[in-house]
């Protein structure tokens, strides 16, 4: 009966949530790990998390873990193989996940299973297991400015709820970015990059060992780009020109997508403790289509994200007990670098000869304390428990503008940061306390039940309880079947609770959290040593969705809990290692979501999506990868009468070397080879959308990289 036990260990155990510091890990395990005399049940998930993720692109014959139907892992080799330079390019390869872009500086929206909103607060992004969420909007910030990939060791993605372990906003999916540390950097590397859109950049990877156990690593990355300049034919001001008989619109005109990026990641530690520090600095960050969807070719933002965390581990503190404590600090700023022109000069019948100017900014501090433990003292059980507290402080809100809340002119640009009757948002704070427990119970040879629950108490909107359960069955030596249930919540953002002095929408301090219940069934089959496929089906119900609803009075809308949605679909994945030199991976996703109040399609996300990638080992040290991504048409919301966003097909190709000559390597990528016209849906507003022809995404582009390791 040893073989079924090992099959269950390899397939079931790895899809389960690991401790908070490890996050959700889905790994392919080499045959050497699963020795006949060793059960994977006895290997801590912390240790499994350190095993190298096996990639099809590596040319090995090790199959992917059968749990990949619900969890995906992309390692640094995969990232290099597809020639990605930004996180979004990597995430677009994940089944059930599509990357759209918002009207706020084209910041990315990670749309899991058709669940989307204007600020995309339903997708949780973690960096080394810690949320990278601003409390103002509940997302990564509207001046995100992209994330480069040279400092990334691997990316772990779970599709579906995760609040039972990760709390707020682990709602439609969780993305955990593991950065490189001393164990994953092989020597010293310097590199440079040139690309389309006047893109230039460089990076440094360095590692140093001090004594026997202590080590430190540093990764620096810099990039500057003018950004793509595709044209928007009509914008929000076009409609006002028609209404007032003016000609102020700058459309047709190019989008504003330039940026300067500087990122630094430092890590130091040994087997007991780890210290990490990070910096994401963005400057000259363009406003995309304009903050009000009226072209603003000169508007630029700066944003800085600084994080520091320290963790200490007590292994075997008592028989069967491991404990970890962690403290974390996070500071986020978003500041305009010049006057942000919401509408151009001459707007609104000449009332604003210099344009309608509104330049909001903010600064936010966060502190988080965690204590978690894993106990293995009960037979056939593994108990994971913990708790902590989180404090966020929106301590500086700024705004300069030349209009009053009723849109009347001020006569000039005035700093209203200290005027509570004028500034866009009051300074607020939030406190969260939480407790969680999870039990992994192997109640029979081929069966495991995972059950857990988390309690969260918030200072500004109350408490929430989120359970989860997973039943995993090693059906045969090569087939794994699982049934999953989870509840998750999305916390109202500070903006949704407290926004003021806005003629378009105001906050509502009576808001409750959004909730979602998700049910899944999945089957994975290792058909042969070279063929792995899996199918995952899901259904979800959303309650208390937060929408901006019309209200009486001068204010047009107020945030309210009024939405109800349901959705269902499936994800199919296939991996085929044809030869030692050639492999193929592919996935297909189908989803549909319905607004239960109108019985209409939710829209703004593709119902169908297909991704395929082929990898060749051409000859010693040379590799060629090609990928095709087809995104089906995206329907509109019920009130939006436009035709659906057309489908698009992008084809990319990357030629790279590995160990070419004395530490020197190169990579050349062509993205969107056939220059397909890719569009992301622009939001709808009454009586017509501000940008009717949607948001143009970049066309064909070329990227070349040269690196030297010594």
């Amino acid at each position: 009966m040893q073989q079924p036990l090992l099959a269950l260990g390899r397939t079931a155990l790895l899809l389960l949530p690991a401790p908070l510091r490890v996050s959700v890990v889905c790994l392919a395990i080499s045959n050497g790990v699963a020795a006949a005399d060793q059960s994977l049940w006895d290997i801590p998930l912390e240790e499994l998390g350190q095993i190298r993720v096996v990639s099809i692109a590596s040319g090995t014959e090790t199959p992917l873990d059968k749990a990949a139907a619900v969890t995906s892992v992309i390692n640094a080799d995969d990232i290099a193989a597809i020639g990605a330079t930004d996180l979004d390019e990597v995430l677009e390869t994940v089944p059930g996940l599509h990357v759209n872009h918002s009207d706020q500086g084209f910041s990315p929206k990670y749309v899991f299973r058709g669940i989307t909103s204007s600020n995309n607060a339903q997708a949780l992004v973690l960096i080394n297991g810690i949320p990278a969420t601003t409390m103002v909007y509940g997302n990564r910030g509207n001046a995100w400015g992209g994330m480069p990939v040279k400092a990334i060791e691997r990316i772990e993605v779970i599709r579906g709820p995760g609040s039972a372990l990760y709390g707020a906003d682990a709602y439609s999916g969780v993305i955990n970015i593991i950065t490189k540390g001393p164990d994953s950097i092989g020597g010293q590397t310097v590199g440079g990059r040139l690309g389309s859109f006047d893109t230039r950049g460089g990076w440094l990877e360095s590692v140093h060992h001090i004594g026997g156990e202590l080590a430190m690593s540093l990764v620096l990355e810099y990039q500057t780009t003018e950004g793509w300049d595709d044209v928007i034919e009509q914008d929000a001001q076009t409609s006002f020109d028609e209404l007032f008989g003016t000609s102020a619109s700058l459309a047709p005109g190019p989008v504003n997508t330039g940026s300067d990026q500087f990122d630094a990641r430092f890590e130091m530690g040994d087997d007991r403790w780890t210290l990490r520090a990070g910096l994401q600095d963005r400057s000259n960050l363009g406003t995309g289509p304009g903050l009000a969807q009226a072209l603003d070719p000169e508007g630029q933002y700066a944003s800085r994200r600084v994080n520091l965390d320290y963790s200490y581990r007590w292994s075997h503190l008592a028989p069967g007990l491991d404990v970890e404590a962690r403290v974390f600090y996070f500071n986020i700023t978003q500041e305009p670098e010049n006057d942000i022109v919401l509408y151009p000069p001459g707007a609104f019948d000449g009332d604003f000869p210099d344009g309608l100017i509104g330049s909001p900014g903010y600064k936010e501090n966060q502190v988080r304390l965690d204590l978690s433990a894993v106990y293995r003292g009960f037979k056939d059980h593994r108990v994971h428990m913990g708790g902590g507290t989180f404090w966020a402080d929106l301590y500086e809100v700024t705004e300069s503008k030349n209009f009053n809340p009723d849109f009347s002119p001020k006569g000039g640009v005035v700093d209203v940061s200290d005027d509570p009757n004028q500034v866009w948002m009051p300074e607020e704070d939030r406190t969260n306390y939480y407790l969680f427990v999870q039990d992994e119970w192997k109640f029979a040879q081929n069966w495991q039940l995972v059950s857990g629950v988390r309690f969260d108490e918030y200072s500004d909107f109350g408490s929430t309880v989120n359970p989860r359960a997973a039943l995993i069955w090693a059906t045969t030596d090569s087939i794994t079947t699982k049934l999953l249930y989870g509840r998750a919540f999305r916390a109202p953002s500070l903006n949704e609770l407290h926004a003021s002095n806005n003629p378009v929408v105001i906050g509502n301090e009576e808001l409750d959290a959004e909730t979602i219940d998700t049910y899944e069934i999945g089957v994975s089959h290792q058909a042969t040593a070279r063929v792995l496929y899996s199918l995952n089906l899901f259904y979800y119900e959303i309650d208390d969705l937060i929408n901006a609803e019309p209200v009486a009075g001068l204010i047009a809308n107020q945030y309210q809990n009024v939405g109800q949605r349901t959705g269902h679909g499936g994800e199919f994945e296939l991996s085929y290692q044809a030869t030692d030199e050639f492999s193929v991976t592919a996935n297909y996703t189908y989803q549909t979501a319905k607004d239960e109040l109108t019985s209409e399609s939710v829209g703004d996300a593709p119902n169908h999506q297909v991704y395929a990638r082929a990898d060749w080992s051409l000859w010693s040290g040379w590799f060629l990868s090609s990928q095709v991504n087809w995104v089906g048409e995206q329907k509109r919301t019920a009130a939006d009468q436009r035709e659906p966003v057309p489908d698009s097909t992008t084809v990319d190709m990357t030629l790279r070397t590995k160990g070419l000559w004395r530490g020197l390597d190169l990579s050349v990528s062509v993205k969107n080879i056939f220059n397909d016209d890719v569009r992301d849906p622009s939001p709808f507003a009454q009586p017509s959308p501000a940008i009717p022809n949607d948001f143009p995404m970049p066309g064909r582009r070329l990227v070349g990289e040269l690196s030297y390791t010594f």
Side-chain angles (χ1 to χ4, degrees), residues 250 256 287-291 294-300 338-342:
L250 301 179
N256 178 9
T287 55
L291 292 193
L295 291 176
D296 176 19
E298 304 299 329
Q300 293 181 330
N338 52 17
D339 286 341
I340 304 300
V341 180
L342 304 179

Side-chain angles (χ1 to χ4, degrees), residues 19-70:
L20 243 61
R21 66 182 187 277
V22 179
S23 185
V24 182
V25 179
C26 169
L27 301 173
I29 308 300
S30 66
N31 292 332
V33 175
D37 60 351
Q38 181 184 25
S39 169
L40 286 179
W41 293 110
D42 299 326
I43 299 177
L45 287 180
E46 292 86 349
E47 294 179 19
L48 290 175
Q50 301 305 314
I51 299 173
R52 180 181 179 274
V53 177
V54 174
S55 166
I56 289 179
S58 68
T60 68
E61 296 182 359
T62 306
L64 292 176
D65 186 83
K66 294 180 176 66
V70 290

Side-chain angles (χ1 to χ4, degrees), residues 391-431:
W391 174 72
D393 181 25
L394 183 63
Y395 66 92
E396 185 173 323
V397 178
T398 61
E399 186 176 16
S400 296
K401 59 184 180 181
N402 64 352
F403 62 94
N404 294 304
D406 62 357
F407 271 139
S408 61
K410 280 185 172 295
V413 177
V414 178
D415 185 345
V416 299
S417 304
D418 296 325
D419 186 346
N421 297 315
Q422 293 278 341
V423 70
W424 67 281
M425 175 82 186
E427 295 177 1
E428 297 285 345
D429 59 21
R430 163 179 285 177
T431 304

Side-chain angles (χ1 to χ4, degrees), residues 491-687:
S493 69
L494 295 182
N495 179 66
E496 290 167 333
L497 288 167
H498 305 293
S500 59
N501 304 318
N502 187 332
V504 178
V505 62
I506 60 169
N508 179 1
E509 296 185 0
E510 301 301 318
L511 288 177
D512 293 322
E514 292 182 5
T515 61
I516 184 172
D517 291 274
T518 302
Y519 308 84
E520 296 181 77
I521 181 170
V523 178
S524 60
H525 183 201
Q526 186 75 56
T528 71
R530 293 179 177 268
V531 178
L532 167 70
Y533 67 88
S534 56
L535 175 66
N536 189 56
L537 304 177
F538 63 85
Y539 171 80
Y540 61 77
E541 298 177 348
I542 294 175
D543 286 314
D544 290 329
L545 189 72
I546 299 173
N547 283 329
E549 294 295 311
V551 293
L554 294 176
I555 303 299
N557 299 281
Q558 183 184 46
Y559 291 111
Q560 297 179 8
N561 290 108
V562 296
Q564 291 181 309
R565 292 180 182 177
T566 59
H568 66 273
E571 299 135 0
F572 176 78
E573 297 179 77
L574 171 68
S575 301
Y576 176 43
Q577 184 79 43
T579 69
D580 291 345
E581 293 77 29
F582 178 70
S583 62
V584 176
T585 58
N587 60 67
Y588 165 72
T589 300
Y590 167 75
Q591 69 79 27
T592 182
K594 182 175 70 173
D595 186 328
E596 291 296 323
L597 300 182
T598 64
S599 297
E600 299 285 346
S601 172
V602 171
D604 286 346
N607 295 116
H608 303 271
Q609 192 170 356
V610 176
Y611 173 81
R613 169 181 156 198
D615 295 280
W616 292 268
S617 177
L618 300 178
W619 54 85
S620 179
W622 289 84
F623 301 90
L624 179 66
S625 295
S626 61
Q627 57 180 359
V628 179
N629 191 23
W630 177 76
V631 178
E633 69 175 22
Q634 301 179 60
K635 296 179 181 178
R636 308 291 184 174
T637 59
D640 192 341
Q641 298 302 306
R642 288 178 292 173
E643 292 295 318
V645 179
D647 66 317
S648 63
T649 303
T650 55
V651 180
D652 307 335
M653 192 164 290
T654 298
L655 177 67
R656 67 187 177 102
T657 67
K658 191 172 184 180
L660 177 62
W661 180 72
R662 296 186 178 182
L664 194 66
D665 282 302
L666 62 87
S667 172
V668 178
S669 299
V670 184
K671 308 296 182 66
N672 195 2
I673 292 174
F674 300 106
N675 201 32
D676 199 22
D677 183 16
V678 180
R679 301 266 167 164
D680 281 354
S682 61
F684 178 74
Q686 296 288 358

